[in-house]
């Protein structure tokens, strides 16, 4: 009687309400603040002025990952102090932008205390991330906690064990301390669901924080976490990183252990999801990647690639030791022309790199439109069935828009366009994708003739999206990130500037590639995007994480020097 | 009018006959010999006694890869001499066991002459495989040649470009010189098709040479090639290696460049086919792998893993430097009990390893039956549709058995058992497979408690099949190899002994696991398998190619020392 089991399940509204209530109760009462009214759009300064954090806690939470780790390792700051400071700031952030899902203060502080004891007793750190609080997107299972990935239907399902990456980070000495909000199904580049509601952008709450790791993006931007872990299937680490002004990395398939993550489209073996770090500094990204890879994740995750952290690759041995790099700028992807602030950020990057002695050429995108279409078709080969099965037991409706007025919107562009296909049809798509991956790799290799360095282009610099953080419901194009998922290229996000209405006036209409390009053009008005961070993306080839991190450090360095 | 196009295509029988005639004409007339009659089962000595090869050519063809390369590099032997010697022996082999498909003597000799000129002019070799003839399974596309993969329907389709591995080996200085036979669809562990017919085992022509790289196995065994490249989806490199008494390696997904290989189930992104070397010595395997990986295949194949040849891993740094290894012997897989010669070979290996100071424990297989079933279900999710589409245009019938009397056999166990499934259903299978991969990895890791070395088991030693080379049509179980494809573990084949009717008498019946196990038991009679080589398999974990090669050298060394 399978039916009687499913109909016994509480209706989704009851599940959502009960969970939301439990979340509220998990917040220490003394950490409740009075947030500014909804009309205050920029809340980025609030955590430091609200009075909940003392001067030392503000200092701790403003410290970058490398220095935090030094202070923790020499016991200048205890893990309990550091965890408490970030927890308080995270809870403040949550009251501003609604970024958290799971809150477990006692558990995190108990873990921190253990680490302090260990250091005191042995004089040794537990590992390279000793005492560092780390936040996680609501996909990384933690034993004893729920992982709802934005579905009311999944409330009440508690994990039996940790995701491999959680165990790995615990082995490294980290303190998992909060989990962060996502969109229902995870397959949106914004963040809204029936359980936890909407996460907004701390620099302008009328804008989205991006998605699907949008809770993480908003939290890290408010310095409520020194380091966050997101998941990227089509841009879900990079879009919120870009919209919230962060550094973020999308590693190649299998470079980090994914096993034990609750995902969307599980069992889809083609365009794979990957976990990736998000931080306020590129050094945070590096420290994290090196620490995790040095634990040999392939011993615990069958899909993790047996590839050590390679210091030669980090030192750009295959890229002329990083002295005279050649970057290729992709000004647009041939489908949607970016808004003025994005264009300006590319010009800033170009000038800074050239002034620093690097070469800059133009990147010619090939088949991005087709790659995007194939990738969506692969995901949608079985997505509708999965969403239906996940929600049907509780009657939970599928969300059809990320807009503020959901009821007035019908079917949005990110929903599956078909009712699935046969395995054979899927294989034909996957075969075509492999062919394009080969063409793209050859295309990259062939740039050796135009760089003047004797090497192909060292990295591509391109937008992360054709716009900065959009008003809610308006982020409807992910191919600036998703093509690199389809190609499995390592890609990092770095901040360049913020929207400036004086510098970023509306451009005259261009020759539109298509109607959607025109829609995106018409969306632009600098006032609408006031104060939004402007970030770019640096792209290397498959499994080039070390080189991508080092080149991002180089670009970041020349941008800072140029300011 | 798609129909009118397809019906214009010649009927498959005409295509097959025309191709077979062209093959015959490609053999230099002076290389035609008079082979022994069909009643002579063991033809392994014939190439050296037939009179076609002179003493020097016999010496060349009996030389192992490492020494061949030394002689070629110092011009003691020219590439033309070496290629001619192997070509003659390959053509003799073909007349004995029908192992070749594409024969292109002039082209290969012209390439060899170029290499000789280069060495003479520059004093340098072109690369680490300078002058080495290499044979290829009939899947690796070579520009200007057909690649029929056992289908009459594909006759007349000429490749526009080389497979990436062909280009890679040319860059290394190799001489591609023949291609070798396969079964129709490639999805059989024996070798028979409508175009080229059946390849037999040189040690006993009433037995199969295995498959699907069965032409390669027979050719290398007769020393008609110093090094062959096969393709392994479920055992297709290892089964013919084991049946023909060779060394063979199944690398992990992406360790060698696969792109440009004409495969079966193309676009299936889950249990992937891999290319792998086959040779008469383990040093041949090592030389090949190191040479190919050192060309950085990831620059030319988007699916190739960016992982350098790692001398530390070869030196077993993670395995106690190879001094006191712990091997785990899997006596049977819990589904089919191996025949007496296989059991004896495991006992020989165990004793030799223990005498050499290594530790030997028993391997407990988990979920092999389920893994095998899932793997077949994944392959068969779209296989029937692919086979139908490939053959329908020419009316070519699908082969339903590898037996001698094909007409009397209807549906065999290797044919698809279903009409395909939806993409969502496929994802559920793939999800289950990932779960088992995790369980298996944890199972391996947990053996650290029983090895006494402080490490988990260093490698598994197990049968490559429950039998040696079977009579034609009787090889109906591949899970001793296919489970490692499903788990993506690196696995090598090495020879141990040959069937000996005195030592390998029929065992008393055991408690049968199932009816099929009973059938396999009843198949055994030492006379039936007379003279067949007995090989075993050494299995490491994913991307442990270097360690697997080194451990195979160690096992090979102690076996030789024990003789």
């Amino acid at each position: 009687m399978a039916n009687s089991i499913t109909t016994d399940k509480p209706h989704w509204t009851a599940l959502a309400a009960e969970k939301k209530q439990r979340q509220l109760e998990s917040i220490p009462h003394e950490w409740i603040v009075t947030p500014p009214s909804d009309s205050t759009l920029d809340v980025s300064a609030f955590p430091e002025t609200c009075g909940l954090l003392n001067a030392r806690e503000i200092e701790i939470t403003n410290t970058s990952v490398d220095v935090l780790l030094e202070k923790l390792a020499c016991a200048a700051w205890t893990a309990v102090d550091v965890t408490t400071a970030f927890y308080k700031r995270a809870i403040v952030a949550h009251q501003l932008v609604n970024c958290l899902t799971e809150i477990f203060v006692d558990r995190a502080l108990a873990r921190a205390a253990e680490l302090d004891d260990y250091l005191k007793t042995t004089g040794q750190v537990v590992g390279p991330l000793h005492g560092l609080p780390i936040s996680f997107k609501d996909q990384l299972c933690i034993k004893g906690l729920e992982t709802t990935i934005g579905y009311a239907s999944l409330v009440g399902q508690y994990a039996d064990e940790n995701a491999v990456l959680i165990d790995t980070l615990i082995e490294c000495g980290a303190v998992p301390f909060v989990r962060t909000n996502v969109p229902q199904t995870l397959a949106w580049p914004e963040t809204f669901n029936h359980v936890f509601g909407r996460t907004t952008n701390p620099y302008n709450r009328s804008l989205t924080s991006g998605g699907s790791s949008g809770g993480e993006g908003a939290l890290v931007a408010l310095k409520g976490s020194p380091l966050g872990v997101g998941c990227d299937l089509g841009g879900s680490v990079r879009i919120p990183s870009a919209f919230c002004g962060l550094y973020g990395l999308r590693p190649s398939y299998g470079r980090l252990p994914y096993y034990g993550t609750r995902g969307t489209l599980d069992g889809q073996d083609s365009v794979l999801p990957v976990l990736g770090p998000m931080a306020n500094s590129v050094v945070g990204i590096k420290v994290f990647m090196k620490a995790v890879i040095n634990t040999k994740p392939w011993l615990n995750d069958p899909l993790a690639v047996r590839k050590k952290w390679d210091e030669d690759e980090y030192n750009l041995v295959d890229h002329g030791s990083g002295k005279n790099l050649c970057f290729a700028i992709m000004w647009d992807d041939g489908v949607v022309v970016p808004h003025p602030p994005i264009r300006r950020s590319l010009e800033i990057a170009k000038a800074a790199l050239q002034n620093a002695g690097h070469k800059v050429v133009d990147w010619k995108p090939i088949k991005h439109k087709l790659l995007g279409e194939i990738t969506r078709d692969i995901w949608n080969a079985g997505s509708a069935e999965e969403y239906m099965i996940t929600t049907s037991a509780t009657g939970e409706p599928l969300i059809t828009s990320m807009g503020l007025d959901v009821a007035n919107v019908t079917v949005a562009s990110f929903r599956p366009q078909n009712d699935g296909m046969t395995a054979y049809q899927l294989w034909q798509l996957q075969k075509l994708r492999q062919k394009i991956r080969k063409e793209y790799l050859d295309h990259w290799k062939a740039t050796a003739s135009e760089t003047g360095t004797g090497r192909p282009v060292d990295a591509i610099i391109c937008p992360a999206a054709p716009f900065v953080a959009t008003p809610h419901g308006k982020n409807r194009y992910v191919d600036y990130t998703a093509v690199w998922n389809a190609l499995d290229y390592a890609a990092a996000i770095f901040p360049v500037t913020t929207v400036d209405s004086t510098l970023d006036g509306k451009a005259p209409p261009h020759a539109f590639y298509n109607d959607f390009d025109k829609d995106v053009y018409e969306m632009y008005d600098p006032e609408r995007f006031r104060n939004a961070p402007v970030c770019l993306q640096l792209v290397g080839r498959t499994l080039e994480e070390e080189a991508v991190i080092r080149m991002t450090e180089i670009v970041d360095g020349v941008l800072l020097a140029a300011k």
Side-chain angles (χ1 to χ4, degrees), chain A:
Chain A
M1 302 291 283
N3 255 359
S4 69
I5 292 169
T6 54
T7 51
D8 279 352
K9 237 185 156 175
H11 191 262
W12 69 276
T13 50
L15 286 166
E18 184 267 342
K19 175 68 187 170
K20 187 75 185 163
Q21 181 60 31
R22 275 195 282 127
Q23 189 202 42
L24 196 62
E25 289 162 6
S26 68
I27 298 175
H29 189 70
E30 62 278 21
W31 293 356
I32 303 287
V33 293
T34 308
S37 73
D38 287 354
S39 63
T40 303
L41 297 182
D42 178 3
V43 295
S44 58
F46 184 81
E48 296 186 25
T49 58
C50 67
L52 180 64
L53 281 79
N54 62 35
R56 191 156 181 254
E57 287 164 342
I58 292 174
E59 184 194 354
I60 287 172
T61 52
N62 284 341
T63 300
S64 73
V65 169
D66 50 337
V67 179
L68 272 174
L69 288 169
E70 285 168 22
K71 299 272 193 182
L72 282 159
C74 69
W77 292 342
T78 66
V80 167
D81 284 347
V82 171
T83 302
T84 304
F86 278 105
Y87 229 130
K88 287 169 81 172
R89 194 156 178 161
I91 295 292
V92 174
H94 182 59
Q95 294 169 79
L96 297 169
V97 294
N98 192 43
C99 52
L100 303 183
T101 58
E102 301 297 320
I103 297 166
F104 40 99
V105 183
D106 293 347
R107 182 169 165 162
L109 289 176
R111 159 75 179 158
E114 272 175 30
L115 291 165
D116 288 334
D117 282 349
Y118 184 89
L119 179 57
K120 205 168 176 181
T121 313
T122 66
Q124 304 283 318
V125 293
V126 163
L129 304 179
H130 186 98
L132 188 72
I134 300 186
S135 51
F136 296 91
K137 186 182 186 184
D138 199 61
Q139 285 189 254
L140 284 114
C141 294
I142 298 180
K143 192 173 171 178
L145 299 183
E146 293 151 287
T147 314
T148 59
I149 61 168
Y151 285 107
S153 304
L154 300 183
V155 168
Q157 297 185 14
Y158 294 83
D160 293 331
E161 52 190 7
N162 289 336
V164 171
L165 185 64
I166 298 284
D167 279 336
T168 302
L169 291 171
I170 287 173
E171 182 188 332
C172 290
V175 182
F177 81 112
V178 282
R179 277 224 316 258
T180 56
N181 204 19
V182 298
Q184 186 200 47
T185 75
L186 302 170
W188 289 94
E190 303 189 25
T191 296
F192 170 67
N193 65 66
H194 292 311
V195 186
F196 299 107
R198 181 185 309 280
T199 302
T200 57
N201 194 305
Y203 293 100
N204 179 338
R205 293 194 289 179
S206 75
L207 306 176
T208 176
S209 62
S212 61
S213 315
E216 209 53 62
L219 175 68
V220 177
L222 285 165
K223 297 183 180 163
S225 168
L227 196 79
V229 178
C231 182
D232 196 311
L233 177 64
S236 286
V237 159
R238 288 162 294 157
I239 294 166
S241 295
F243 285 10
C244 296
L246 309 179
Y247 299 82
L249 179 71
R250 181 239 169 243
S252 307
Y253 307 153
R255 195 68 203 269
L256 295 182
Y258 178 83
Y259 196 88
T261 304
R262 190 162 204 166
T264 192
L265 320 181
D266 276 355
Q268 183 267 117
D269 273 354
S270 189
V271 183
L272 297 173
V274 297
L275 302 177
M278 301 162 73
N280 282 299
S281 64
V282 63
V283 70
I285 305 294
K286 184 196 168 189
V287 163
F288 175 88
M289 290 298 291
K290 192 170 172 177
V292 173
I293 292 169
N294 281 343
T295 66
K296 303 183 178 177
W298 51 86
L299 297 179
N300 296 302
D301 183 338
L303 267 66
V305 179
R306 182 182 293 265
K307 178 174 164 68
K308 299 169 191 162
W309 175 267
D310 191 323
E311 208 61 33
D312 279 352
E313 294 193 24
Y314 175 73
N315 289 321
L316 302 177
V317 165
D318 290 338
H319 295 273
S321 299
K323 283 181 193 72
N324 293 95
L325 295 168
C326 179
F327 296 92
I329 291 191
M330 185 175 87
W331 299 93
D332 77 57
D333 70 349
V335 186
V336 181
V337 172
H339 283 170
I342 306 291
R343 172 93 200 177
R344 182 167 62 87
S345 71
L346 288 166
E347 282 160 359
I348 291 171
K350 179 176 178 174
L353 286 166
Q354 285 178 331
N355 288 340
H358 299 293
K359 198 162 172 183
V360 180
V361 298
D362 288 342
W363 184 258
K364 192 183 159 205
I366 56 166
K367 304 197 176 180
H368 281 219
K369 188 162 184 287
L370 180 59
L371 259 181
E373 287 164 359
I374 290 171
T375 303
R376 267 183 295 283
D377 285 346
I378 289 172
W379 291 330
N380 288 337
S383 61
E385 198 162 349
E386 179 182 288
Y387 302 160
M388 187 270 291
I389 289 170
T390 308
T391 54
S392 60
T394 69
E396 181 179 5
L398 274 175
I399 292 173
T400 57
S401 159
M402 292 280 120
L404 289 172
D405 190 4
V406 178
N408 286 345
V409 181
T410 53
V411 177
S413 64
F414 278 88
R415 298 304 81 198
Q417 298 299 307
N418 61 53
D419 294 328
M421 57 180 77
T422 68
Y424 180 80
Q425 288 169 326
L426 175 62
W427 290 357
Q428 305 321 301
L429 284 174
Q430 292 176 167
K431 187 174 170 179
L432 180 55
R433 171 180 166 239
Q434 283 185 19
K435 190 163 175 289
I436 300 176
R437 286 182 71 178
K438 168 65 171 160
E439 281 178 58
Y440 218 99
L441 193 61
D442 289 345
H443 177 62
W444 191 314
K445 195 179 179 191
T447 60
S449 65
E450 50 182 285
T451 57
T453 62
R455 304 183 303 276
V457 155
D458 294 296
I460 301 167
I461 291 176
C462 65
F467 26 60
V468 296
T470 65
H472 301 291
K474 297 292 184 190
N475 183 11
R476 290 172 53 223
Y477 189 70
V478 298
D479 284 4
Y480 277 94
T481 49
V483 288
W484 313 123
N485 298 78
L487 295 166
D488 193 25
Y489 289 175
I493 299 296
F494 57 94
V496 180
T497 183
T498 52
V499 173
D500 180 323
S501 59
T502 322
L503 300 171
D504 299 320
K506 198 168 170 81
H510 56 276
F512 297 117
Y513 286 120
N514 48 61
D515 288 349
F516 183 71
D517 182 30
K518 186 161 178 262
D519 288 351
V520 169
Y521 168 80
E522 286 169 357
M523 191 209 301
Y524 187 69
D525 170 352
E527 276 310 306
R528 214 175 172 189
F529 297 93
R530 175 192 284 269
N531 206 37
V534 188
C535 292
L536 290 174
Q537 188 173 201
L538 185 146
V539 181
R541 278 173 285 183
T542 310
L543 288 171
E544 272 207 300
E545 284 71 30
E546 291 90 333
V548 163
I549 290 170
R550 181 72 193 115
M551 287 191 277
T552 303
E553 288 173 342
I554 288 170
V555 175
D556 194 50
V558 304
L559 285 171
L560 286 175
K563 270 181 183 164

